[in-house]
Amino acid sequence: KNEVEQSPQNLTAQEGEFITINCSYSVGISALHWLQQHPGGGIVSLFMLSSGKKKHGRLIATINIQEKHSSLHITASHPRDSAVYICAAATGGGADGLTFGKGTHLIIQP
Amino acid sequence: KAGVTQTPRYLIKTRGQQVTLSCSPISGHRSVSWYQQTPGQGLQFLFEYFSETQRNKGNFPGRFSGRQFSNSRSEMNVSTLELGDSALYLCASSLVRGGDTQYFGPGTRLTVL
């Protein structure tokens, strides 16, 4: 069974700071997803990656397959980035579907 | 292109009742997955449907079931509701199954009294 651990659980930062959220998983995966959930419940898929690095605007996601670790970075953070960020591991169509981390609650203060 | 829609958005039921939730995926998407989100357990995978067949199932009791229709719309059913079934139920659709990018619906918030 895949275990997905996220850190930190909670993070409060000032506007403009560089943010890093970490995700570790225990077994081999086919892909790692990063999701963003705003108050009210809506979830948006930010990235899906299986190797290397992806960038979208101020968001960067990296994954190290050998170390079973992924990071989500936010550059020049803004209060609108305040949300819960969740990583999820896909085991390639196995019986477990997506396994989710507990999420990181990020607050960016102006 | 319209996003994933879920109905109803809110639902209040009492213990012992059953409930059916509906999910309409993005046009052209053939995979629909269902998830349960609670404050204690976070997000948990329920099941995945692709081409009207259940492909994966999470660790939930048999009271939780689902189906997918030929137009890819999906329903999930929970019978004999328990207080612990109170949760946000989310569905997500993707073009193909497995690790493809998932597009989430707004969720159905179920409260069991």
Side-chain angles (χ1 to χ4, degrees):
Chain A
K1 185 184 172 191
N2 204 1
E3 303 288 339
V4 178
E5 301 283 340
Q6 270 186 255
S7 63
Q9 283 188 311
N10 298 284
L11 179 58
T12 299
Q14 295 298 121
E15 182 173 357
E17 286 189 37
F18 182 82
I19 303 299
T20 296
I21 299 170
N22 297 298
C23 176
S24 298
Y25 50 91
S26 59
V27 301
I29 62 172
S30 61
L32 192 290
H33 298 252
W34 281 102
L35 310 171
Q36 180 193 57
Q37 186 172 32
H38 281 283
I43 293 179
V44 174
S45 179
L46 297 174
F47 296 102
M48 184 191 69
L49 64 165
S50 54
S51 65
K53 175 180 174 179
K54 287 191 176 181
K55 184 176 189 291
H56 181 70
R58 296 180 294 105
L59 301 177
I60 303 166
T62 64
I63 189 167
N64 185 316
I65 299 297
Q66 287 73 31
E67 295 186 3
K68 296 186 173 62
H69 180 268
S70 177
S71 293
L72 176 69
H73 306 285
I74 305 175
T75 62
S77 59
H78 189 276
R80 65 175 174 265
D81 297 326
S82 298
V84 177
Y85 292 85
I86 303 166
C87 70
T91 53
D96 291 336
L98 285 183
T99 303
F100 297 87
K102 295 291 187 190
T104 294
H105 189 195
L106 174 66
I107 297 174
I108 303 297
Q109 295 178 334
Chain B
K1 198 180 260 191
V4 178
T5 58
Q6 291 187 246
T7 57
R9 292 293 310 278
Y10 302 91
L11 206 48
I12 299 175
K13 292 285 188 180
T14 56
R15 278 183 301 172
Q17 287 187 309
Q18 75 163 22
V19 66
T20 299
L21 312 181
S22 180
C23 172
S24 293
I26 290 173
S27 178
H29 285 194
R30 297 169 62 193
S31 176
V32 173
S33 297
W34 288 89
Y35 305 94
Q36 182 197 64
Q37 186 176 35
T38 59
Q41 297 296 320
L43 272 163
Q44 293 182 281
F45 169 75
L46 276 161
F47 24 65
E48 178 195 8
Y49 285 88
F50 184 81
S51 294
E52 301 178 65
T53 302
Q54 187 181 90
R55 303 293 178 158
N56 291 319
K57 190 178 193 308
N59 188 25
F60 279 83
R63 299 184 297 108
F64 291 80
S65 63
R67 59 178 175 168
Q68 186 180 35
F69 302 94
S70 58
N71 61 358
S72 294
R73 189 177 70 86
S74 178
E75 289 181 347
M76 68 162 280
N77 184 275
V78 188
S79 62
T80 319
L81 284 166
E82 301 177 359
L83 295 178
D85 297 333
S86 295
L88 180 67
Y89 290 88
L90 293 148
C91 81
S93 74
S94 59
L95 269 172
V96 296
R97 57 183 300 255
D100 194 17
T101 298
Q102 307 234 322
Y103 297 83
F104 286 80
T108 294
R109 188 163 296 280
L110 172 65
T111 302
V112 182
L113 302 176

